[in-house]
Amino acid sequence: MNGGDADVAAAPAAPPPELEWKFSQVFGERTAGEEVQEVDIISAIEFDKSGDHLATGDRGGRVVLFERTDTKENGGSRKDLEKTDYSTSRHPEFRYKTEFQSHEPEFDYLKSLEIEEKINKIRWCQTANGALFLLSTNDKTIKFWKVQEKKIKKIASMNMDPSKVAGKNTIAGSSDSSITNSYLVNGGCKDKSSTNLINDFKFPSGGIPSLRLPVVTYNETSLVPRCRRVYAHAHDYHINSISNNSDGETFISADDLRINLWNLEISNQSFNIVDVKPANMEDLTEVITCAEFHPTHCSTLAYSSSKGSIRLIDLRQSALCDKHSKLFEEQEAPGSRSFFTEIIASISDIKFGRDGRYILSRDYMTLKLWDINMDSGPVSTFQVHEHLRPRLCDLYENDSIFDKFECCLSGDSQRVATGSYSNLFRVFGCASGSTEATTLEASKNPMRRQVQTPSRPSRSLSSITRAVRRGGGESPDANGNSFDFTTKLLHLAWHPSENSIACAAANSLYMYYA
């Protein structure tokens, strides 16, 4: 009996069931044949920590905010509803809140360089006094925004009752004329007798009906965005990422060669904490591609490189963190090196799990999940673009191989997601024993497709790809499905506490829930 109980206790927990994803909402949906303006294409998506607000940035320098509505209509936050055993049968719903122009196009006269207004990254900061705070950046300048709801003052009416004005107001009439005549501008008086008149004067009971005063009301509120700080002139190269610290006071910004540490309240000074620029630029072998603070340890951050490595650094070790505390990289398989090896190994995005135990990284071909306590290799690898390996030459010629796809983790770190071509995004289960691998299309009617398992590539894949016109926009996968390289889903975000994903397809924002 005891031995049987021990075996049952040692058995691993079953992986969570596969999620059934459903369409929730779309903002900015295109009509058939509608041409998308370049400035309207979404370039950044971010949920705040509560999940009640969502921000998007576009190539036109605008930031658009959305707020959740289903929790408000049900009478409280989701946590409160769960405490009272209130079952929410409705799926998450968001509505447009406000938008503002965050960045404008600029020109660097010293370098003769145009600076795009495109929003590269958005990060939410801690809320205070009912106001929302967020950081947004383009290639060169970071801005700290405060969005607050303010009441609009409106004069509704005058307090005069016309029926009481006529006749019988002799005191008010005589006093009013004498007072008006005796006063000068700035409070001066013609003679001292007028002061005695004021002292002797008393308001009649019920007030003076002919005294007209405006009645101010606060019926409407307006959201007012205000730029609190501008952090500029600190990066020689394009800013690729920003990340705010768990201490609520500092944040980092990273470009190709340097990472700077800022205080939110100080815009004219930053500290360089990582510098990979060699003395001779000809010796440059790798660049920084992304940087992210640990979600709970304010002295720990990670940054990725174009060689496929992730470095964990501790700000307590030294002022300039030239040496990493941990290095995460996967050893290259012998004999597998090719012209494209370094290009496809470059990490385009990294994300910490909510508890800080895991780091998710995205390179061109795969998603990798790393345990920060194990630097020998990733704990899981998910094949995303393995079916495109025979077409790397074509992807290089049309520059698609340099596309930077983002990635995200669920709040419980049980699942990961990333985008692909043809406006597809993929969700993988990363719990022990999970085989979940779902492919969805960013549309109102997402087509569920099973991801091709890398261990069983189709024999006909090479023959199919050879038949496609070189450099063409579409490529069929192993199942004969066509992939359109001109439509790509680069940006997506997972709700911090629910199974809800927001993703951007050109100028449209799609939301799904499970």
Coordinates of all heavy atoms in Angstrom, one line a residue, residues 399-442:
D399 N 14.9 40.5 -48.0 CA 15.1 41.1 -46.7 C 14.2 40.6 -45.6 O 14.2 41.1 -44.5 CB 15.0 42.6 -46.8 CG 16.2 43.3 -47.4 OD1 17.3 42.6 -47.5 OD2 16.1 44.4 -47.8
S400 N 13.3 39.6 -46.0 CA 12.4 39.1 -44.9 C 13.2 38.4 -43.8 O 12.7 38.3 -42.7 CB 11.4 38.1 -45.6 OG 10.6 38.7 -46.5
I401 N 14.4 37.9 -44.1 CA 15.2 37.2 -43.1 C 15.6 38.1 -41.9 O 15.9 37.6 -40.8 CB 16.4 36.5 -43.7 CG1 16.9 35.4 -42.9 CG2 17.5 37.6 -44.0 CD1 18.0 34.5 -43.5
F402 N 15.5 39.4 -42.1 CA 15.8 40.4 -41.1 C 14.6 40.9 -40.3 O 14.7 41.8 -39.5 CB 16.5 41.6 -41.7 CG 17.8 41.2 -42.5 CD1 17.8 41.2 -43.8 CD2 18.9 40.8 -41.8 CE1 19.0 40.9 -44.5 CE2 20.1 40.5 -42.4 CZ 20.1 40.5 -43.8
D403 N 13.4 40.3 -40.6 CA 12.2 40.7 -39.8 C 12.4 40.3 -38.3 O 12.9 39.3 -38.0 CB 11.0 39.9 -40.4 CG 10.6 40.5 -41.7 OD1 10.9 41.6 -42.0 OD2 10.0 39.7 -42.5
K404 N 11.9 41.3 -37.5 CA 12.1 41.1 -36.0 C 10.8 40.8 -35.4 O 9.9 41.6 -35.2 CB 12.7 42.3 -35.4 CG 14.1 42.7 -36.0 CD 14.7 43.9 -35.3 CE 16.0 44.3 -36.0 NZ 17.0 43.2 -36.0
F405 N 10.5 39.5 -35.1 CA 9.3 39.0 -34.5 C 9.4 39.1 -33.0 O 10.4 38.7 -32.4 CB 9.0 37.6 -34.9 CG 8.7 37.4 -36.4 CD1 9.6 37.1 -37.3 CD2 7.4 37.6 -36.8 CE1 9.3 37.0 -38.7 CE2 7.0 37.4 -38.2 CZ 8.0 37.1 -39.1
E406 N 8.3 39.5 -32.4 CA 8.3 39.6 -30.9 C 7.7 38.3 -30.3 O 7.2 37.5 -31.1 CB 7.5 40.8 -30.4 CG 8.1 42.1 -30.8 CD 7.2 43.3 -30.3 OE1 6.2 43.1 -29.7 OE2 7.6 44.5 -30.5
C407 N 7.9 38.1 -29.0 CA 7.3 37.0 -28.4 C 6.7 37.4 -27.0 O 6.9 38.5 -26.5 CB 8.4 35.9 -28.1 SG 9.8 36.5 -27.1
C408 N 5.9 36.5 -26.4 CA 5.3 36.8 -25.1 C 5.0 35.5 -24.4 O 4.9 34.4 -25.0 CB 4.1 37.6 -25.3 SG 2.8 36.9 -26.4
L409 N 4.9 35.6 -23.1 CA 4.5 34.5 -22.2 C 3.2 34.8 -21.5 O 2.9 35.9 -21.3 CB 5.6 34.3 -21.1 CG 7.0 33.8 -21.4 CD1 7.9 34.9 -21.6 CD2 7.5 32.9 -20.3
S410 N 2.5 33.7 -21.2 CA 1.3 33.8 -20.4 C 1.7 34.2 -19.0 O 2.8 34.0 -18.6 CB 0.5 32.5 -20.5 OG 1.2 31.5 -19.9
G411 N 0.7 34.7 -18.2 CA 1.0 35.1 -16.9 C 1.4 34.0 -16.0 O 2.2 34.2 -15.0
D412 N 1.0 32.8 -16.2 CA 1.4 31.6 -15.4 C 2.6 30.9 -16.0 O 3.0 29.8 -15.5 CB 0.3 30.7 -15.2 CG -0.3 30.2 -16.6 OD1 0.3 30.5 -17.6 OD2 -1.3 29.5 -16.6
S413 N 3.2 31.4 -17.1 CA 4.4 30.9 -17.8 C 4.1 29.5 -18.3 O 5.0 28.7 -18.5 CB 5.6 30.9 -16.8 OG 6.0 32.2 -16.5
Q414 N 2.9 29.1 -18.5 CA 2.5 27.8 -19.0 C 2.5 27.7 -20.6 O 2.6 26.7 -21.1 CB 1.1 27.4 -18.5 CG 1.0 27.2 -17.0 CD 1.7 25.9 -16.6 OE1 1.4 24.8 -17.0 NE2 2.6 26.0 -15.6
R415 N 2.4 28.9 -21.2 CA 2.3 29.0 -22.7 C 3.1 30.2 -23.2 O 3.3 31.1 -22.5 CB 0.9 29.1 -23.1 CG 0.1 27.8 -22.8 CD -1.4 28.0 -23.2 NE -2.2 26.8 -22.9 CZ -2.7 26.5 -21.7 NH1 -2.5 27.4 -20.6 NH2 -3.3 25.4 -21.5
V416 N 3.5 30.0 -24.4 CA 4.3 31.1 -25.1 C 3.6 31.3 -26.5 O 3.0 30.5 -27.0 CB 5.8 30.7 -25.2 CG1 6.4 30.6 -23.9 CG2 6.0 29.4 -26.0
A417 N 3.9 32.5 -27.0 CA 3.3 32.9 -28.3 C 4.2 33.8 -29.1 O 5.0 34.5 -28.5 CB 2.0 33.6 -28.1
T418 N 4.1 33.7 -30.4 CA 4.9 34.5 -31.3 C 4.2 34.6 -32.6 O 3.3 33.8 -32.9 CB 6.4 34.0 -31.5 OG1 7.1 35.0 -32.1 CG2 6.4 32.7 -32.3
G419 N 4.6 35.6 -33.5 CA 4.0 35.8 -34.8 C 4.8 35.1 -35.9 O 5.9 34.6 -35.7
S420 N 4.2 35.2 -37.1 CA 4.8 34.6 -38.3 C 4.2 35.3 -39.5 O 3.7 36.4 -39.4 CB 4.4 33.1 -38.3 OG 5.1 32.5 -39.5
Y421 N 4.4 34.7 -40.7 CA 4.0 35.3 -41.9 C 2.5 35.0 -42.2 O 1.9 34.2 -41.5 CB 4.8 34.9 -43.1 CG 6.3 35.4 -43.0 CD1 7.3 34.6 -42.6 CD2 6.5 36.8 -43.2 CE1 8.6 35.1 -42.5 CE2 7.8 37.2 -43.0 CZ 8.8 36.4 -42.7 OH 10.1 36.9 -42.5
S422 N 1.9 35.6 -43.2 CA 0.5 35.5 -43.5 C -0.4 35.8 -42.4 O -1.5 35.3 -42.2 CB 0.2 34.0 -44.0 OG 1.0 33.7 -45.1
N423 N 0.1 36.8 -41.5 CA -0.7 37.2 -40.4 C -1.1 36.0 -39.4 O -2.2 36.0 -38.8 CB -2.0 38.0 -40.8 CG -1.6 39.4 -41.3 OD1 -0.6 39.9 -41.0 ND2 -2.6 40.0 -42.0
L424 N -0.2 35.1 -39.3 CA -0.4 34.0 -38.4 C 0.3 34.2 -37.1 O 1.4 34.9 -37.1 CB 0.1 32.7 -39.0 CG -0.5 32.2 -40.3 CD1 0.2 30.9 -40.8 CD2 -2.0 31.9 -40.2
F425 N -0.2 33.7 -36.0 CA 0.5 33.6 -34.8 C 0.4 32.3 -34.1 O -0.6 31.6 -34.4 CB 0.1 34.7 -33.8 CG -1.3 34.6 -33.2 CD1 -1.5 34.1 -32.0 CD2 -2.4 35.1 -33.9 CE1 -2.7 34.0 -31.4 CE2 -3.7 35.0 -33.4 CZ -3.8 34.4 -32.1
R426 N 1.4 31.9 -33.4 CA 1.5 30.5 -32.9 C 1.5 30.5 -31.3 O 2.2 31.3 -30.7 CB 2.7 29.8 -33.5 CG 2.4 29.5 -34.9 CD 3.6 29.0 -35.7 NE 3.1 28.8 -37.1 CZ 3.9 28.8 -38.1 NH1 5.2 29.0 -38.0 NH2 3.4 28.5 -39.3
V427 N 0.8 29.6 -30.8 CA 0.8 29.4 -29.3 C 1.3 28.0 -29.0 O 0.8 27.0 -29.6 CB -0.6 29.6 -28.8 CG1 -0.6 29.4 -27.2 CG2 -1.2 31.0 -29.1
F428 N 2.3 27.9 -28.1 CA 2.8 26.6 -27.7 C 2.7 26.4 -26.2 O 2.8 27.4 -25.4 CB 4.3 26.5 -28.0 CG 4.6 26.7 -29.5 CD1 5.0 27.9 -30.0 CD2 4.6 25.6 -30.3 CE1 5.3 28.1 -31.3 CE2 4.9 25.7 -31.7 CZ 5.3 27.0 -32.2
G429 N 2.4 25.2 -25.8 CA 2.4 24.9 -24.4 C 3.8 24.5 -23.9 O 4.5 23.7 -24.6
C430 N 4.2 25.1 -22.8 CA 5.6 24.8 -22.4 C 5.7 24.1 -21.0 O 6.7 23.9 -20.5 CB 6.4 26.1 -22.3 SG 5.7 27.4 -21.4
A431 N 4.5 23.7 -20.5 CA 4.5 22.9 -19.3 C 5.0 21.5 -19.6 O 5.0 21.0 -20.8 CB 3.1 22.8 -18.8
S432 N 5.5 20.8 -18.6 CA 6.1 19.5 -18.8 C 5.1 18.5 -19.4 O 4.0 18.4 -18.8 CB 6.6 19.0 -17.4 OG 7.2 17.7 -17.6
G433 N 5.5 17.9 -20.5 CA 4.6 16.9 -21.1 C 3.6 17.5 -22.1 O 2.8 16.8 -22.7
S434 N 3.5 18.8 -22.2 CA 2.5 19.5 -23.1 C 2.9 19.3 -24.6 O 4.1 19.5 -24.9 CB 2.4 20.9 -22.7 OG 1.5 21.6 -23.6
T435 N 2.0 19.0 -25.4 CA 2.2 19.0 -26.9 C 1.4 20.0 -27.6 O 1.2 20.0 -28.8 CB 1.8 17.6 -27.4 OG1 0.4 17.3 -27.1 CG2 2.7 16.5 -26.8
E436 N 0.9 21.0 -26.8 CA 0.0 22.0 -27.4 C 0.8 22.9 -28.4 O 1.9 23.4 -28.2 CB -0.5 22.9 -26.3 CG -1.4 24.0 -26.8 CD -2.0 24.9 -25.7 OE1 -1.8 24.5 -24.5 OE2 -2.7 25.8 -26.0
A437 N 0.3 23.0 -29.6 CA 0.9 23.8 -30.7 C -0.2 24.2 -31.6 O -0.7 23.5 -32.5 CB 2.0 23.0 -31.5
T438 N -0.6 25.5 -31.5 CA -1.8 26.0 -32.2 C -1.4 27.1 -33.1 O -0.6 28.0 -32.7 CB -2.8 26.5 -31.2 OG1 -3.1 25.5 -30.2 CG2 -4.1 26.9 -31.9
T439 N -1.9 27.1 -34.3 CA -1.6 28.2 -35.3 C -3.0 28.9 -35.6 O -3.9 28.2 -35.9 CB -1.0 27.7 -36.6 OG1 0.2 27.0 -36.2 CG2 -0.7 28.8 -37.5
L440 N -3.0 30.2 -35.4 CA -4.2 31.0 -35.7 C -3.9 32.1 -36.6 O -2.7 32.6 -36.7 CB -4.8 31.6 -34.4 CG -5.4 30.6 -33.4 CD1 -5.6 31.3 -32.1 CD2 -6.6 30.0 -33.9
E441 N -4.9 32.5 -37.4 CA -4.7 33.6 -38.3 C -5.4 34.8 -37.7 O -6.5 34.8 -37.1 CB -5.4 33.3 -39.7 CG -5.2 34.4 -40.7 CD -5.9 34.1 -42.0 OE1 -6.7 33.2 -42.0 OE2 -5.5 34.7 -43.0
A442 N -4.7 36.0 -37.8 CA -5.3 37.2 -37.3 C -6.4 37.7 -38.2 O -6.2 38.5 -39.1 CB -4.2 38.3 -37.1

